[in-house]
Amino acid sequence: MLRRALNLARMRRNDARTAAALAAHQRRLLQGLVQHAQARVPFYRDLYATRGVRAPAIRELADLQSLPLIDKGMLRAAGAGAISLDAPADTVSIYTSGSSGEPYRFPIDRRYDQWRKAQYLRPYLSSGRRLRDKVLRLTGQPQRRTPWFTQLGLLREWRLHCADEPSHIVDAWRRLAPDVLQGYPSALRALAHHCLENPLTPAPRLVFTDSELLLSDTRALLERAFGAPVFDIFGTFETDNIAYQCARREGYHIAADSVILEIVREGKVVPVGESGEIVVTVLMNRTSPFIRYNLGDIGRLSAQPCPCGLALPLLAVVEGRANELLTLPDGRHCTPQGIFSRLNNFAGTIRQYQLRQTSSGAFELFIVPARPLSGADLEAIVAAMRSTLAGSVIEPRVVEHIPPDPSGKRRLFIPAGRRPS
């Protein structure tokens, strides 16, 4: 706990650094990380040897682009070869959720584990969560032991399963009277519909979303139902929280002291402002290094600094997953985010939804209604989506429940050929 607190203090000091100082900090950590990976991690040693990479040549941040991209499949295939030969005996195992169909486990050393835990807390504390706040978190992993500092009234958190009935969550809320609500957007969306008629009392002071794409209609619904501002946080199990919204909520501040984030399309870094796949280098993890790791998410950087004054670079938006693009009848591929924005006007009509592509230009739209739907309601919903789907066939299906993935997340879009959980 002490080391975690010291790491948090370092992070807060880093928040006040200039852009030039942050870049110098990244450059120093990157040089050491790449040299360590080539010398002590068999996976990187062999990969760099086949690509003619020499670690000492990686001196500037721009040199990072000469390194090959990697992904989860490559690391899984490497097995123990992706772990440092210097790994200590008492490592901590990290498990990915596997919501993309690719669960993965890897070890980290305890020193980095304390940095990682501080990195997890950073966005929440930066956005107004207090050390003594009580937090109710909806997650796919509700079981946990109560740490000693929680028993002392610090960082108190109760976890409920995100698939629990909203009435059960409301009962727990009224019993615990927490200050902060946190969870997957899909889980909070279901709770929000229930709370429009059965409000959370006392109301939360803050709401945090993570682990799923937060769309504008969901944000508006949550703020209306809970009467509190919603802050979104972007991260993965492999990288932990890497970008987060401040009070201005005009983008996501990238934790530049912990990661280097690139936007790449067809293997090349794209200009600022253009969309591409998000590639991350984790600067502090030497036991299981992630260097130019393709997250499979699509996003774009902002050319404008945040009005809040922080020099941390700004991720303008996260647009979804690269392997979950929909296919239009003319063969074009696009993210479903723009299509879902068409549902903004149906917040009082649709409780949950999921779009499934059955073939090129053909879709099923599963709807859990917030009220009984007429034929005219369904026609209006389909018409709103068809204006963006360019002549596709959309078949609406009204259902009572859309099951979540094993991780507890509920995907908004399932591509053709991929089966729902």
Side-chain angles (χ1 to χ4, degrees):
M1 184 65 175
L2 176 59
R3 186 178 294 275
R4 195 180 315 179
L6 292 173
N7 286 337
L8 273 169
R10 289 174 59 189
M11 291 175 183
R12 298 306 293 267
R13 289 195 297 271
N14 290 338
D15 288 346
R17 286 188 172 192
T18 64
L22 286 169
H25 177 76
Q26 287 182 317
R27 185 166 56 249
R28 178 179 59 81
L29 292 178
L30 176 65
Q31 291 170 351
L33 175 67
V34 175
Q35 291 181 26
H36 167 78
Q38 187 166 50
R40 305 302 296 163
V41 183
F43 167 74
Y44 288 101
R45 178 196 63 206
D46 297 343
L47 178 64
Y48 291 170
T50 61
R51 303 295 179 90
V53 172
R54 293 180 58 254
I58 309 300
R59 299 186 181 93
E60 303 296 330
L61 296 181
D63 297 333
L64 187 61
Q65 299 177 38
S66 66
L67 301 180
L69 301 178
I70 67 167
D71 57 34
K72 189 184 298 183
M74 296 169 67
L75 293 176
R76 186 188 294 106
I83 303 170
S84 172
L85 298 174
D86 298 331
D90 59 337
T91 57
V92 176
S93 288
I94 304 297
Y95 299 83
T96 69
S97 64
S99 59
S100 63
E102 297 182 292
Y104 181 54
R105 181 177 68 178
F106 59 94
I108 61 174
D109 61 79
R110 293 191 178 275
R111 186 179 184 87
Y112 171 62
D113 184 48
Q114 290 301 309
W115 181 271
R116 186 178 188 273
K117 287 175 177 175
Q119 190 180 344
Y120 166 80
L121 287 171
R122 176 193 213 163
Y124 303 101
L125 298 178
S126 297
S127 298
R129 177 180 167 181
R130 301 162 187 159
L131 290 176
R132 297 188 65 84
D133 275 346
K134 293 187 288 184
V135 178
L136 185 64
R137 181 179 177 188
L138 306 185
T139 175
Q141 299 174 320
Q143 292 78 24
R144 62 173 292 182
R145 293 179 297 177
T146 302
W148 63 267
F149 49 82
T150 294
Q151 298 177 27
L152 296 179
L154 298 174
L155 300 176
R156 293 175 289 179
E157 183 178 292
W158 290 268
R159 297 186 181 192
L160 297 182
H161 199 282
C162 55
D164 280 355
E165 286 293 326
S167 59
H168 176 253
I169 297 170
V170 169
D171 288 344
W173 180 274
R174 291 173 176 165
R175 184 175 68 255
L176 299 169
D179 308 285
V180 177
L181 180 62
Q182 177 184 340
Y184 304 152
S186 60
L188 294 180
R189 184 184 180 94
L191 177 62
H193 276 287
H194 179 85
C195 289
L196 289 175
E197 298 181 358
N198 305 274
L200 291 178
T201 52
R205 191 180 77 253
L206 299 168
V207 177
F208 291 98
T209 56
D210 57 41
S211 303
E212 291 177 352
L213 186 65
L214 176 66
L215 298 180
S216 58
D217 67 318
T218 299
R219 179 191 292 276
L221 172 65
L222 302 187
E223 293 189 341
R224 181 160 59 96
F226 302 134
V230 174
F231 296 88
D232 193 35
I233 296 168
F234 174 61
T236 70
F237 278 89
E238 299 93 308
T239 62
D240 214 86
N241 294 336
I242 57 177
Y244 55 93
Q245 294 185 318
C246 68
R248 299 300 294 261
R249 292 179 290 173
E250 296 184 17
Y252 295 75
H253 288 287
I254 299 168
D257 56 356
S258 300
V259 301
I260 299 172
L261 189 149
E262 305 170 89
I263 304 296
V264 174
R265 187 169 58 243
E266 297 179 354
K268 303 293 184 181
V269 173
V270 303
V272 172
E274 293 189 13
S275 296
E277 296 181 52
I278 299 175
V279 172
V280 170
T281 296
V282 180
L283 294 170
M284 306 292 283
N285 182 3
R286 293 198 173 193
T287 296
S288 297
F290 291 87
I291 303 174
R292 300 207 82 200
Y293 179 69
N294 192 335
L295 298 183
D297 290 300
I298 297 175
R300 55 184 169 84
L301 294 172
S302 173
Q304 302 299 322
C306 182
C308 77
L310 285 180
L312 297 173
L314 208 60
L315 181 65
V317 68
V318 181
E319 301 178 17
R321 295 195 61 80
N323 64 351
E324 293 185 353
L325 299 177
L326 53 83
T327 306
L328 300 176
D330 60 6
R332 289 184 294 122
H333 299 279
C334 65
T335 71
Q337 184 177 16
I339 290 138
F340 292 142
S341 68
R342 299 287 180 172
L343 299 177
N344 287 357
N345 295 328
F346 299 94
T349 304
I350 300 174
R351 186 180 299 273
Q352 293 175 348
Y353 56 83
Q354 184 179 78
L355 185 66
R356 301 178 188 174
Q357 181 151 29
T358 54
S359 62
S360 178
F363 300 87
E364 293 178 327
L365 178 63
F366 287 77
I367 300 170
V368 177
R371 60 171 176 78
L373 301 183
S374 66
D377 290 327
L378 293 176
E379 289 177 9
I381 294 168
V382 170
M385 299 189 72
R386 188 177 287 124
S387 63
T388 305
L389 284 172
S392 298
V393 176
I394 307 169
E395 182 68 30
R397 299 186 181 278
V398 178
V399 296
E400 294 183 356
H401 177 64
I402 298 174
D405 291 341
S407 65
K409 303 176 186 178
R410 186 177 284 104
R411 288 175 289 172
L412 296 178
F413 175 65
I414 298 178
R418 188 173 303 177
R419 301 175 65 180
S421 301

